[in-house]
Amino acid sequence: MTTDTPARLLQLLSLLQTPREWPGGELSDRLGVSRRTVRRDIDRLRELGYPVQATKGADGGYRLVAGKAMPPLVLDDEEAVAIAVGLRAGAGHALEGVDEASVRALAKLEQVLPTRLRHRVSTLQAATTPLTSGDGASIAPETLTVMASSVAGRERLRFAYRSGDGTPSRRLTEPYRLVSTGRRWYLVAYDLDREDWRTFRVDRVSEPFATGARFTPRELPTGSAAEYLRQSMYRRQETYAFEVTFAAPAEFVAARVPAWLGTPEPIDDHSCRLRSSAGDSIEWLAVRLAMAECEFTVREPAELVSRLRGLGGRLTRAAGGPEQEPELATP
């Protein structure tokens, strides 16, 4: 019999989080208490915000259902390890659709993991290799979690940094946000030594250390960290404008091109247009457009049309077919 009420509530919550309906008698037997005590404990969980649904009758019981808010979860060892390994695998490769929220979740989870479970997570990750697209740099999840914790806790962050030409330096920053572009992670932060805002590629960061010194966030020059990163990248790179029309609805195309390329504008119910600018290589843009899984026409620039024709020819020859002008590259 569980006489400690908080411990009994946690045990009851753990049972209810299994996706099934629990008869009152079974819960009573599992917890070693009366059915009346089970009903009181159910009421306590409801007061704490857990949406417990009860059904009447001989076969009735209790079930945890979806509510308006997300209450705290109770995980057993295996569930906690599985979630941590999954978050680490995604966060370490800046997969498209895996953004700062997943890194924050990983930081929160690893903060409370017992030492024995942290060891299991590290062992499992070391023994597995995720299959990724290969066009993004791999990052140690520990680096991301330290950064995410510093952002959330408003702690100054110190780290070693390697610039694009390989020059090493030490940085002391006030971290503002982590931003994922779909292929890479970036840190937007105020550099205290240089007294200015900077963006840092996270795959070039090593030895991150949260100093414990708190700070009040400064006002970012732009409205959001993502916008600041975009402007920063464009200042450093030669950009070019492009326009592409797709023979598919805007929703279809938006789900198949990365968000950093822009948002497709509907032309009608069956076609859309994408007008934006990019700082990536023409070759990379050509490949990304070819992966849209629908017919499209490049309006500009002429260099992109030329690269698509060359890519189409190489792909046709690789497939053993006759070389021809690819329709998707016709301006």
Side-chain angles (χ1 to χ4, degrees):
M1 176 178 179
T2 306
T3 57
D4 181 15
T5 301
R8 189 177 66 248
L9 285 175
L10 286 174
Q11 186 179 355
L12 173 60
L13 181 58
S14 180
L15 292 172
L16 290 174
Q17 285 179 344
T18 301
R20 53 161 290 194
E21 190 162 283
W22 290 87
E26 187 173 350
L27 289 176
S28 175
D29 293 339
R30 288 286 194 106
L31 300 173
V33 296
S34 67
R35 293 195 179 196
R36 182 179 179 182
T37 299
V38 169
R39 287 194 295 272
R40 283 202 300 261
D41 287 348
I42 292 292
D43 289 338
R44 291 190 182 98
L45 289 179
R46 288 170 175 160
E47 291 172 359
L48 293 172
Y50 292 94
V52 182
Q53 184 181 75
T55 55
K56 297 180 180 180
D59 297 327
Y62 301 97
R63 176 191 296 271
L64 193 64
V65 297
K68 295 181 180 179
M70 177 70 183
L73 294 175
V74 176
L75 304 173
D76 61 28
D77 286 5
E78 287 70 23
E79 292 166 342
V81 168
I83 292 174
V85 170
L87 287 172
R88 276 177 163 230
H93 290 82
L95 298 177
E96 195 168 322
V98 179
D99 58 12
E100 187 186 350
S102 10
V103 179
R104 292 200 310 268
L106 178 59
K108 290 178 181 178
L109 181 58
E110 293 201 340
Q111 182 180 2
V112 297
L113 279 181
T115 302
R116 70 179 191 283
L117 296 187
R118 289 186 185 183
H119 177 71
R120 285 178 59 184
V121 170
S122 298
T123 300
L124 274 172
Q125 189 183 28
T128 58
T129 300
L131 180 62
T132 62
S133 60
D135 50 24
S138 179
I139 303 168
E142 293 84 358
T143 298
L144 283 170
T145 55
V146 170
M147 289 184 165
S149 297
S150 298
V151 169
R154 298 179 177 179
E155 285 185 70
R156 289 181 175 177
L157 181 71
R158 189 185 300 276
F159 53 86
Y161 191 69
R162 174 180 49 83
S163 64
D165 61 7
T167 303
S169 61
R170 303 287 302 184
R171 303 298 181 97
L172 178 62
T173 65
E174 294 177 351
Y176 186 81
R177 288 288 187 278
L178 280 166
V179 182
S180 171
T181 64
R183 291 187 295 149
R184 294 190 179 98
W185 282 103
Y186 290 85
L187 174 69
V188 176
Y190 188 85
D191 191 318
L192 291 169
D193 294 327
R194 289 155 181 78
E195 298 183 343
D196 199 3
W197 289 92
R198 291 288 189 271
T199 59
F200 303 94
R201 271 181 50 174
V202 177
D203 57 297
R204 295 175 180 169
V205 170
S206 60
E207 305 172 38
F209 174 72
T211 64
R214 306 285 179 177
F215 66 90
T216 300
R218 303 168 191 262
E219 185 176 353
L220 197 64
T222 58
S224 69
E227 177 62 19
Y228 181 82
L229 174 63
R230 186 187 70 82
Q231 294 184 13
S232 176
M233 293 174 67
Y234 285 178
R235 283 196 299 267
R236 296 194 302 264
Q237 298 177 348
E238 181 180 352
T239 62
Y240 52 89
F242 65 89
E243 180 179 345
V244 184
T245 56
F246 296 88
E251 296 79 6
F252 179 91
V253 175
R256 286 161 176 79
V257 299
W260 49 267
L261 279 182
T263 303
E265 304 169 354
I267 297 176
D268 52 39
D269 292 341
H270 307 291
S271 63
C272 63
R273 178 186 297 108
L274 180 60
R275 289 182 289 196
S276 186
S277 57
D280 282 287
S281 67
I282 286 283
E283 291 82 358
W284 171 248
L285 180 58
V287 171
R288 287 302 307 183
L289 291 173
M291 293 169 64
E293 300 180 12
C294 65
E295 296 296 318
F296 64 92
T297 301
V298 175
R299 302 298 179 185
E300 62 174 335
E303 185 181 359
L304 177 57
V305 174
S306 175
R307 294 302 172 90
L308 276 167
R309 284 175 174 156
L311 175 63
R314 289 193 297 274
L315 292 176
T316 299
R317 291 191 295 273
E323 187 171 348
Q324 58 185 6
E325 290 290 319
E327 294 182 5
L328 62 99
T330 304

